[in-house]
């Protein structure tokens, strides 16, 4: 229906975003590994404890060291989440804005951190920060629950009530600290969760920057969607496929991305502002 504006895939900008996401996910995963390592160390220590003088003290000391590692994890993970929300997501938003200007063949100096852009990025970073912190705090609660259970098991040994020793495999299986539990109670490796969560957040931030810049700096009423060939507009299974279609800027703003792992990008189309009969969802 329309002749698209020149489509120039800004591969360098996209690569930078993906690299930022990968690095942050790696840091978060590595920090999360502190919990699994501390859990393993505590179990190995408690396995060696038998009834006798000093056994209770050794068990308490081991649990205290585990709790210290949990506290360190929480501090480091919180710092990572704060940096992601305060620095990295705004950078992704800005990169999306600059990419939109380049794709519209406009000077990138048009972008400024105006009141509108600041107001737009604030709820994005706040929401995503809360999401990350909820996962971090959940991990801390699970680690603390494990510590209490392990300490109770060790007490049975030190009091001579359990001569077989603690059941490490059972404790580890009941309290898997290297996983994240989703709402459906399914368990996923921390690495896959971190990559998926930060990818979603980074893409939404970048695309929001592109859409808002198109609206405020370019006065565009229409956006062209670049997406996977099978991706639906509102979610992956939506039969309204998104790739290559023209969408109103309001529709784009409602669905900057469709799902976790979404590769959607948006191209401003101010050249279509006066095109009669154009409907959101028409092919480009």
């Amino acid at each position: 229906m329309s002749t698209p504006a020149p489509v120039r895939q800004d591969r360098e900008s996209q690569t930078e975003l993906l690299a930022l996401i990968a690095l942050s996910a790696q840091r978060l995963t590595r920090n999360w590994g502190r919990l699994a390592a501390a859990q393993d160390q505590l179990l190995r220590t408690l396995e060696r404890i038998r009834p006798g003088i000093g056994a209770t003290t050794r068990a308490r000391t081991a649990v205290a060291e585990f709790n210290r590692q949990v506290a360190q994890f929480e501090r480091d993970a919180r710092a990572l989440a704060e940096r992601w929300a305060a620095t990295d997501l705004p950078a992704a938003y800005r990169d999306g804005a600059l990419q939109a200007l380049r794709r519209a063949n406009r000077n990138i100096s048009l972008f400024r951190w105006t009141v509108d852009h600041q107001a737009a990025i604030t709820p994005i970073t706040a929401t995503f920060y809360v999401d990350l912190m909820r996962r971090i705090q959940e991990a801390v609660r699970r680690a603390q629950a494990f510590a209490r259970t392990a300490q109770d098991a060790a007490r049975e040994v030190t009091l001579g009530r359990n001569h077989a020793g603690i059941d490490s495999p059972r404790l580890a299986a009941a309290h898997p600290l290297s996983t994240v539990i989703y709402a459906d109670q399914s368990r996923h490796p921390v690495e896959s969760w971190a990559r998926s969560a930060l990818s979603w957040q980074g893409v939404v931030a970048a695309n929001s920057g592109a859409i808002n810049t198109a609206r405020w700096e370019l006065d565009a009423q229409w956006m062209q969607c670049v997406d996977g060939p099978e991706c639906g507009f509102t979610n992956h299974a939506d039969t309204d496929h998104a790739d290559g279609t023209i969408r109103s800027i309001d529709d784009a703003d409602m669905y900057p991305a469709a799902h976790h792992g979404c590769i959607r990008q948006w191209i401003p189309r101010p050249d279509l502002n006066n095109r009669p009969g154009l409907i959101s969802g028409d092919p480009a």
Side-chain angles (χ1 to χ4, degrees), residues 28-151:
L28 190 57
T29 301
R30 185 167 56 245
N31 186 61
W32 220 283
R34 180 189 297 271
L35 292 182
Q39 181 183 49
D40 184 69
Q41 179 60 43
L42 176 59
L43 290 174
R44 300 290 81 77
T45 300
L46 296 183
E47 285 173 351
R48 296 191 293 270
I49 291 178
R50 292 293 183 270
I53 298 175
T56 299
T57 299
R58 289 196 299 273
R60 287 176 178 172
T61 300
V63 172
E65 172 58 21
F66 174 82
N67 287 330
R68 189 188 71 78
Q69 292 292 332
V70 173
Q72 187 63 52
F73 157 78
E74 184 175 20
R75 287 191 293 272
D76 291 347
R78 181 184 293 274
L80 287 170
E82 289 174 351
R83 171 174 175 167
W84 174 255
T87 303
D88 297 335
L89 285 178
Y93 181 99
R94 179 179 178 275
D95 286 349
L98 299 183
Q99 187 173 1
L101 291 171
R102 294 189 190 100
R103 285 177 160 176
N105 294 320
R106 302 296 181 85
N107 195 312
I108 61 174
S109 65
L110 286 174
F111 177 79
R112 293 286 187 275
W113 278 111
T114 62
V115 172
D116 286 334
H117 284 298
Q118 292 175 18
I121 190 60
T122 297
I124 292 174
T125 57
T127 298
F128 289 157
Y129 173 75
V130 169
D131 289 345
L132 291 179
M133 285 305 304
R134 183 170 62 248
R135 291 295 187 190
I136 292 167
Q137 290 163 356
E138 175 194 357
V140 170
R141 287 193 296 270
R142 291 171 61 198
Q144 291 170 339
F146 160 73
R148 290 191 296 270
T149 303
Q151 187 167 32

Side-chain angles (χ1 to χ4, degrees), residues 211 214-215 220-225 233 245-256 266-269 272-273 278-282:
I211 294 163
R215 186 195 298 273
Q221 299 172 17
W222 301 97
M223 302 289 289
Q224 182 175 337
C225 188
F233 184 63
T245 58
I246 298 298
R247 303 284 172 166
S248 72
I249 198 160
D250 290 334
D251 284 350
D253 186 50
M254 187 173 297
Y255 294 101
W266 290 100
I267 301 171
R269 294 300 303 275
L272 300 179
N273 282 1
L278 187 59
I279 298 175
S280 187
D282 280 348

